Amino acid sequence: MGIYGERVLPRIINAACGMKANDPHRRRVCAGLEGDVVEIGFGSGLNVPFYPEAVTRVAAVEPADAGWNLAAKRVKASNVAIERAGLDGQSLPFEDDSFDSAVSTWTLCTIPDVATALREVRRVLKPGATLHFVEHGLAPDEKVQRCQHRFEPVQKRLFGGCHLTRPIVDLLTGAGFTITELDVFYEDGAPKLVAADSLGVAVSP
Ligand SMILES: C[S@@+](CC[C@H](N)C(=O)[O-])C[C@H]1O[C@@H](n2cnc3c(N)ncnc32)[C@H](O)[C@@H]1O
């Protein structure tokens, strides 16, 4: 990956994803998480302050050492037991039916084989357990979509393979999830092409 991908990019992501404007979305997406939780694309642990009391343990899945290192203070300050338990959402080192909830925030854009990752999340969730998500992806407006398609190659090169045009809802339902809560919106204060979010809850059958 090189120095940019391994050391610089995780710091850029920590700063960009750590903007206060994201806090209300993190609070909403983490509400309702409970029990043993798997978080894919844990990054620098920016969701940690928002885990509800009902969360007992978090298995963090994160490939970037620098991201995990940046999370150290948040992990230490948390009452929740958090361990880096995996490196790749596409191949989760967990038994079937082993988690009560899962969470993913702005991560499905970046995982190379996102369909495989979502099947993996379903496999490790107990039947009836929920995946809580907020993800940017293909915008609802055609004009924005055209910009997204044009800019996507640049975005992928600059931001570690981040796609702009992934159809988040279709990916979730295609992996067998049933979406029970969904809010589609543009984040305030960010260019629409990178800020077309889907926030909600999906149930694993
Ligand atoms: C835009 S960042 C979001 C980080 C964090 N979820 C947040 O909300 O701040 C995308 C994250 O996905 C991680 N990632 C990339 N490929 C991955 C993979 N195959 N499995 C799991 N996470 C991955 C990146 O290292 C990065 O931490």
Side-chain angles (χ1 to χ4, degrees):
M1 242 204 308
I3 287 187
Y4 174 74
E6 282 171 21
R7 299 197 186 175
V8 180
L9 186 56
R11 284 174 174 76
I12 294 174
I13 289 172
N14 179 49
C17 290
M19 288 187 308
K20 288 283 164 221
N22 291 329
D23 285 1
H25 307 313
R26 294 188 188 278
R27 188 168 288 113
R28 278 179 76 195
V29 84
C30 289
L33 291 173
E34 59 181 355
D36 282 359
V37 174
V38 56
E39 174 158 2
I40 57 164
F42 183 81
S44 55
L46 291 165
N47 290 325
V48 171
F50 301 99
Y51 293 152
E53 279 183 14
V55 172
T56 48
R57 184 179 72 94
V58 171
V61 177
E62 172 54 50
D65 292 341
W68 176 250
N69 293 339
L70 286 167
K73 274 192 190 155
R74 292 180 193 102
V75 169
K76 201 169 167 205
S78 176
N79 292 327
V80 179
I82 302 166
E83 65 164 333
R84 189 184 186 189
L87 298 175
D88 185 358
Q90 300 161 123
S91 174
L92 295 176
F94 311 122
E95 301 285 320
D96 294 359
D97 304 343
S98 49
F99 289 94
D100 302 297
S101 329
V103 60
S104 172
T105 59
W106 299 291
T107 289
L108 299 183
C109 52
T110 304
I111 297 179
D113 185 347
V114 66
T116 295
L118 287 171
R119 277 197 301 274
E120 278 289 90
V121 174
R122 259 202 64 197
R123 180 184 66 73
V124 303
L125 281 177
K126 295 174 183 171
T130 49
L131 165 62
H132 296 229
F133 60 91
V134 59
E135 300 290 345
H136 74 87
L138 190 65
D141 305 293
E142 273 183 32
K143 198 172 151 200
V144 182
Q145 287 181 6
R146 281 197 292 278
C147 280
Q148 290 181 313
H149 283 291
R150 257 201 312 275
F151 194 69
E152 186 164 66
V154 179
Q155 176 81 3
K156 283 164 72 176
R157 288 191 64 157
L158 288 179
F159 295 101
C162 173
H163 294 70
L164 295 176
T165 61
R166 286 195 164 158
I168 299 303
V169 167
D170 291 351
L171 285 165
L172 287 162
T173 53
F177 284 98
T178 302
I179 294 179
T180 54
E181 291 173 35
L182 180 64
D183 187 10
V184 175
F185 58 93
Y186 292 109
E187 289 166 40
D188 287 338
K192 284 185 172 178
L193 79 168
V194 293
D197 280 5
S198 302
L199 185 157
V201 176
V203 178
S204 181

PDB file of all heavy atoms in Angstrom, residues 21-35:
ATOM      1  N   ALA A  21     -19.700  17.376  12.837  1.00  0.00           N
ATOM      2  CA  ALA A  21     -20.963  17.271  12.093  1.00  0.00           C
ATOM      3  C   ALA A  21     -21.425  15.819  11.956  1.00  0.00           C
ATOM      4  O   ALA A  21     -22.612  15.550  11.738  1.00  0.00           O
ATOM      5  CB  ALA A  21     -20.790  17.892  10.706  1.00  0.00           C
ATOM      6  N   ASN A  22     -20.492  14.879  12.073  1.00  0.00           N
ATOM      7  CA  ASN A  22     -20.866  13.462  11.943  1.00  0.00           C
ATOM      8  C   ASN A  22     -21.427  12.872  13.235  1.00  0.00           C
ATOM      9  O   ASN A  22     -22.019  11.789  13.215  1.00  0.00           O
ATOM     10  CB  ASN A  22     -19.654  12.619  11.521  1.00  0.00           C
ATOM     11  CG  ASN A  22     -19.228  12.913  10.102  1.00  0.00           C
ATOM     12  OD1 ASN A  22     -20.061  13.247   9.261  1.00  0.00           O
ATOM     13  ND2 ASN A  22     -17.940  12.797   9.826  1.00  0.00           N
ATOM     14  N   ASP A  23     -21.211  13.577  14.350  1.00  0.00           N
ATOM     15  CA  ASP A  23     -21.603  12.999  15.645  1.00  0.00           C
ATOM     16  C   ASP A  23     -23.091  12.628  15.717  1.00  0.00           C
ATOM     17  O   ASP A  23     -23.424  11.540  16.199  1.00  0.00           O
ATOM     18  CB  ASP A  23     -21.235  13.951  16.793  1.00  0.00           C
ATOM     19  CG  ASP A  23     -19.731  13.944  17.077  1.00  0.00           C
ATOM     20  OD1 ASP A  23     -18.984  13.219  16.381  1.00  0.00           O
ATOM     21  OD2 ASP A  23     -19.313  14.654  18.008  1.00  0.00           O
ATOM     22  N   PRO A  24     -23.996  13.497  15.259  1.00  0.00           N
ATOM     23  CA  PRO A  24     -25.417  13.110  15.352  1.00  0.00           C
ATOM     24  C   PRO A  24     -25.725  11.842  14.553  1.00  0.00           C
ATOM     25  O   PRO A  24     -26.551  11.026  14.971  1.00  0.00           O
ATOM     26  CB  PRO A  24     -26.155  14.318  14.753  1.00  0.00           C
ATOM     27  CG  PRO A  24     -25.204  15.452  14.860  1.00  0.00           C
ATOM     28  CD  PRO A  24     -23.824  14.881  14.755  1.00  0.00           C
ATOM     29  N   HIS A  25     -25.031  11.657  13.420  1.00  0.00           N
ATOM     30  CA  HIS A  25     -25.255  10.437  12.624  1.00  0.00           C
ATOM     31  C   HIS A  25     -24.709   9.220  13.368  1.00  0.00           C
ATOM     32  O   HIS A  25     -25.327   8.155  13.384  1.00  0.00           O
ATOM     33  CB  HIS A  25     -24.581  10.554  11.255  1.00  0.00           C
ATOM     34  CG  HIS A  25     -24.960  11.790  10.504  1.00  0.00           C
ATOM     35  ND1 HIS A  25     -26.269  12.206  10.372  1.00  0.00           N
ATOM     36  CD2 HIS A  25     -24.213  12.717   9.848  1.00  0.00           C
ATOM     37  CE1 HIS A  25     -26.308  13.330   9.680  1.00  0.00           C
ATOM     38  NE2 HIS A  25     -25.070  13.662   9.351  1.00  0.00           N
ATOM     39  N   ARG A  26     -23.536   9.391  13.997  1.00  0.00           N
ATOM     40  CA  ARG A  26     -22.961   8.265  14.767  1.00  0.00           C
ATOM     41  C   ARG A  26     -23.887   7.908  15.932  1.00  0.00           C
ATOM     42  O   ARG A  26     -24.107   6.738  16.229  1.00  0.00           O
ATOM     43  CB  ARG A  26     -21.562   8.634  15.282  1.00  0.00           C
ATOM     44  CG  ARG A  26     -20.545   8.817  14.177  1.00  0.00           C
ATOM     45  CD  ARG A  26     -19.139   8.980  14.744  1.00  0.00           C
ATOM     46  NE  ARG A  26     -18.201   9.337  13.694  1.00  0.00           N
ATOM     47  CZ  ARG A  26     -17.628   8.470  12.848  1.00  0.00           C
ATOM     48  NH1 ARG A  26     -17.915   7.191  12.934  1.00  0.00           N
ATOM     49  NH2 ARG A  26     -16.792   8.876  11.911  1.00  0.00           N
ATOM     50  N   ARG A  27     -24.415   8.947  16.608  1.00  0.00           N
ATOM     51  CA  ARG A  27     -25.306   8.675  17.749  1.00  0.00           C
ATOM     52  C   ARG A  27     -26.527   7.893  17.272  1.00  0.00           C
ATOM     53  O   ARG A  27     -26.938   6.910  17.893  1.00  0.00           O
ATOM     54  CB  ARG A  27     -25.721  10.007  18.387  1.00  0.00           C
ATOM     55  CG  ARG A  27     -26.483   9.822  19.696  1.00  0.00           C
ATOM     56  CD  ARG A  27     -26.623  11.123  20.460  1.00  0.00           C
ATOM     57  NE  ARG A  27     -25.365  11.545  21.041  1.00  0.00           N
ATOM     58  CZ  ARG A  27     -24.680  12.626  20.659  1.00  0.00           C
ATOM     59  NH1 ARG A  27     -25.148  13.394  19.710  1.00  0.00           N
ATOM     60  NH2 ARG A  27     -23.538  12.935  21.223  1.00  0.00           N
ATOM     61  N   ARG A  28     -27.104   8.316  16.150  1.00  0.00           N
ATOM     62  CA  ARG A  28     -28.312   7.634  15.643  1.00  0.00           C
ATOM     63  C   ARG A  28     -28.005   6.203  15.254  1.00  0.00           C
ATOM     64  O   ARG A  28     -28.771   5.290  15.522  1.00  0.00           O
ATOM     65  CB  ARG A  28     -28.829   8.354  14.380  1.00  0.00           C
ATOM     66  CG  ARG A  28     -29.679   9.560  14.660  1.00  0.00           C
ATOM     67  CD  ARG A  28     -30.107  10.202  13.358  1.00  0.00           C
ATOM     68  NE  ARG A  28     -31.161   9.474  12.685  1.00  0.00           N
ATOM     69  CZ  ARG A  28     -31.505   9.657  11.424  1.00  0.00           C
ATOM     70  NH1 ARG A  28     -30.879  10.537  10.680  1.00  0.00           N
ATOM     71  NH2 ARG A  28     -32.479   8.961  10.885  1.00  0.00           N
ATOM     72  N   VAL A  29     -26.867   6.000  14.580  1.00  0.00           N
ATOM     73  CA  VAL A  29     -26.591   4.670  14.033  1.00  0.00           C
ATOM     74  C   VAL A  29     -26.234   3.686  15.154  1.00  0.00           C
ATOM     75  O   VAL A  29     -26.548   2.496  15.058  1.00  0.00           O
ATOM     76  CB  VAL A  29     -25.514   4.745  12.928  1.00  0.00           C
ATOM     77  CG1 VAL A  29     -24.120   4.731  13.480  1.00  0.00           C
ATOM     78  CG2 VAL A  29     -25.677   3.641  11.909  1.00  0.00           C
ATOM     79  N   CYS A  30     -25.624   4.182  16.207  1.00  0.00           N
ATOM     80  CA  CYS A  30     -25.227   3.290  17.311  1.00  0.00           C
ATOM     81  C   CYS A  30     -26.391   2.986  18.248  1.00  0.00           C
ATOM     82  O   CYS A  30     -26.332   1.994  18.997  1.00  0.00           O
ATOM     83  CB  CYS A  30     -24.076   3.898  18.103  1.00  0.00           C
ATOM     84  SG  CYS A  30     -22.516   3.879  17.179  1.00  0.00           S
ATOM     85  N   ALA A  31     -27.444   3.825  18.224  1.00  0.00           N
ATOM     86  CA  ALA A  31     -28.587   3.578  19.108  1.00  0.00           C
ATOM     87  C   ALA A  31     -29.161   2.196  18.793  1.00  0.00           C
ATOM     88  O   ALA A  31     -29.375   1.853  17.634  1.00  0.00           O
ATOM     89  CB  ALA A  31     -29.648   4.650  18.898  1.00  0.00           C
ATOM     90  N   GLY A  32     -29.384   1.416  19.815  1.00  0.00           N
ATOM     91  CA  GLY A  32     -29.985   0.090  19.617  1.00  0.00           C
ATOM     92  C   GLY A  32     -28.978  -1.039  19.485  1.00  0.00           C
ATOM     93  O   GLY A  32     -29.361  -2.212  19.501  1.00  0.00           O
ATOM     94  N   LEU A  33     -27.688  -0.705  19.368  1.00  0.00           N
ATOM     95  CA  LEU A  33     -26.679  -1.782  19.380  1.00  0.00           C
ATOM     96  C   LEU A  33     -26.706  -2.441  20.755  1.00  0.00           C
ATOM     97  O   LEU A  33     -26.875  -1.766  21.771  1.00  0.00           O
ATOM     98  CB  LEU A  33     -25.275  -1.215  19.128  1.00  0.00           C
ATOM     99  CG  LEU A  33     -24.982  -0.675  17.732  1.00  0.00           C
ATOM    100  CD1 LEU A  33     -23.608  -0.011  17.714  1.00  0.00           C
ATOM    101  CD2 LEU A  33     -25.054  -1.781  16.679  1.00  0.00           C
ATOM    102  N   GLU A  34     -26.518  -3.771  20.759  1.00  0.00           N
ATOM    103  CA  GLU A  34     -26.563  -4.454  22.062  1.00  0.00           C
ATOM    104  C   GLU A  34     -25.727  -5.722  22.035  1.00  0.00           C
ATOM    105  O   GLU A  34     -25.450  -6.270  20.967  1.00  0.00           O
ATOM    106  CB  GLU A  34     -28.013  -4.819  22.413  1.00  0.00           C
ATOM    107  CG  GLU A  34     -28.656  -5.720  21.383  1.00  0.00           C
ATOM    108  CD  GLU A  34     -30.101  -6.062  21.721  1.00  0.00           C
ATOM    109  OE1 GLU A  34     -30.584  -5.682  22.794  1.00  0.00           O
ATOM    110  OE2 GLU A  34     -30.729  -6.732  20.887  1.00  0.00           O
ATOM    111  N   GLY A  35     -25.345  -6.148  23.240  1.00  0.00           N
ATOM    112  CA  GLY A  35     -24.653  -7.422  23.399  1.00  0.00           C
ATOM    113  C   GLY A  35     -23.289  -7.445  22.735  1.00  0.00           C
ATOM    114  O   GLY A  35     -22.544  -6.464  22.759  1.00  0.00           O
TER     115      GLY A  35
END
